[in-house]
Amino acid sequence: MKSPGASLRFHMEAAEPVPHHLAPVIDLPRAVAAPSVALRIDAVGKRYPLEGRPLEVLKNISIDVEQGEFVAIVGASGCGKSTLLRLVAGLDSQYEGSIVWQGQRVTEPSLDRGIVFQEHRLFPWMTVEENVALAFGATRVGPAERRERVAQQLAVVGLGGFENAYPHQISGGMSQRVAIARALVLRPQLLLLDEPFGALDALTRLKLQQELQRLWEIDGLTTILVTHDVEEAVYLADRIIVMSARPGTIKRVLRVQLPRPRLRSSEAFQRIKEDVLSDFTDVPAL
C-alpha cells in the first residue's frame, strides 16, 4: 500500500491532470510569508554628558519596523523619542546597541532616509521651488529632472502654483507641506517625522494629518512619526509605541486594528485613544 506521500508525488508527476475529486486529501501546513523587517533597532541606549556625569536618555530600546509600516512613537516631553529619531536618521552616531536599516548599520545620514522636523526650516530668501530643490544638493540629478520632480512633488502635497512664492507669503501649514515635499522629492524609502504638526493650529493640523495619510497610502513608505498627540497617533499609525521617561524606555506596543480612513468619533477609535492616554494619567482606560 502506497503512503500518502508517495500518492501525492505520483499525482504531482503524472502526465495527465488528476480530477479534483480523485486527488488525495492531505492536510499540509500552509506557508505563511514572514513580514519583511526594514528597520531593526536593537538594545539601543544613549547618554549625554551633563555636569561631568553621563545622563542616560535612552535605555534598551528594541523595535522592529516592517517594510511599508506606519509606526508612531508617543511619550511625554523628555522621554527621548526625538533623540531616537535622530539616531535612526544618522544625525548622531554615538549610541549603544545597533540600528540596522535595510541590512546596513546606521552611522550617518543617507538619501534614502528623509526627515521632517517640527519647524519647517525653509530659507526665507528662497522660493518654495528653490527650498524643495535644495534636497538635490548632494546628488547628481540634472537640472531638468530636478525641476520636473520638484513640480511633481509640490503638486502631490497640494502646492502646485506656489512654486515662486516665498515662505513669508504662505501659511504655516503650507510651509510644513514644503518641508514634507523636500523630504519626499528624493524618493526616500524611510520617512521620519519629528512632531511635524506640533506648532500648527488645530484645524491645520487635522488637514495635514489627512494629507499625510493620503501620501502614505500613495507611496507606501515605511514611516516613523514622533508625536505627543495621542489622537494623531491613533489616526495615522499601524502600531503605537508608548515610551516612558528618564531614561526613555519602551513601556508597551499597541497595534491599531482599525480600517482606514479612520473615524475619530467612533467608539473603537476613542477606546484606543483612552487606552493610550491611560499610560500618562491616573484615569483608567474605558
Side-chain angles (χ1 to χ4, degrees):
M1 181 176 180
K2 293 183 179 179
S3 67
S7 178
L8 178 61
R9 286 193 299 273
F10 170 78
H11 289 314
M12 291 177 65
E13 296 168 1
E16 298 295 330
V18 179
H20 176 72
H21 67 282
L22 296 179
V25 178
I26 301 177
D27 189 15
L28 296 175
R30 293 184 178 182
V32 179
S36 173
V37 175
L39 175 69
R40 173 155 290 166
I41 302 171
D42 187 23
V44 164
K46 175 65 182 177
R47 291 179 171 86
Y48 288 115
L50 179 65
E51 298 179 351
R53 294 184 300 175
L55 173 65
E56 192 171 29
V57 180
L58 295 172
K59 181 179 180 180
N60 196 30
I61 302 292
S62 294
I63 306 167
D64 280 354
V65 179
E66 297 173 13
Q67 188 73 39
E69 188 178 19
F70 197 125
V71 172
I73 302 175
V74 301
S77 297
C79 72
K81 53 188 185 295
S82 292
T83 298
L84 179 60
L85 207 68
R86 287 177 58 84
L87 297 181
V88 174
L91 298 175
D92 185 347
S93 60
Q94 302 300 312
Y95 61 88
E96 302 166 4
S98 68
I99 300 175
V100 177
W101 162 249
Q102 301 286 34
Q104 299 293 322
R105 181 180 172 88
V106 173
T107 57
E108 60 184 4
S110 172
L111 296 180
D112 66 353
R113 282 173 272 127
I115 186 166
V116 179
F117 298 98
Q118 182 172 342
E119 306 86 10
H120 54 71
R121 303 189 180 188
L122 304 183
F123 289 107
W125 60 86
M126 291 184 172
T127 65
V128 164
E129 182 181 47
E130 290 168 341
N131 269 286
V132 176
L134 275 176
F136 291 106
T139 72
R140 297 181 179 179
V141 178
E145 184 179 349
R146 291 186 185 197
R147 288 192 296 270
E148 180 182 357
R149 285 170 61 174
V150 168
Q152 289 175 348
Q153 199 59 61
L154 287 175
V156 167
V157 299
L159 290 177
F162 289 89
E163 292 85 355
N164 296 318
Y166 288 89
H168 72 273
Q169 296 175 318
I170 59 178
S171 68
M174 294 170 75
S175 295
Q176 201 63 4
R177 290 188 193 190
V178 177
I180 292 172
R182 185 170 57 194
L184 293 177
V185 76
L186 292 179
R187 300 170 183 167
Q189 299 178 52
L190 175 62
L191 181 61
L192 305 170
L193 303 163
D194 190 3
E195 301 191 30
F197 311 138
L200 303 176
D201 64 87
L203 293 179
T204 303
R205 186 164 61 247
L206 291 177
K207 186 172 183 179
L208 286 184
Q209 288 168 2
Q210 293 173 342
E211 287 293 313
L212 178 58
Q213 177 182 264
R214 181 180 65 85
L215 292 174
W216 176 77
E217 290 175 344
I218 291 172
D219 295 332
L221 278 179
T222 307
T223 304
I224 302 177
L225 168 71
V226 161
T227 181
H228 60 269
D229 186 339
V230 172
E231 182 174 295
E232 180 174 82
V234 177
Y235 182 75
L236 291 169
D238 296 311
R239 283 190 299 153
I240 299 174
I241 296 170
V242 181
M243 290 186 64
S244 58
R246 298 183 182 88
T249 59
I250 294 178
K251 188 172 185 179
R252 64 170 172 146
V253 179
L254 175 68
R255 186 168 292 278
V256 183
Q257 296 179 318
L258 295 177
R260 291 183 172 92
R262 291 170 180 166
L263 184 61
R264 300 172 195 263
S265 60
S266 72
E267 182 179 348
F269 187 101
Q270 291 298 319
R271 187 181 300 115
I272 296 173
K273 177 182 173 181
E274 293 298 328
D275 183 21
V276 178
L277 283 172
S278 68
D279 287 320
F280 307 103
T281 67
D282 295 328
V283 179
L286 296 176

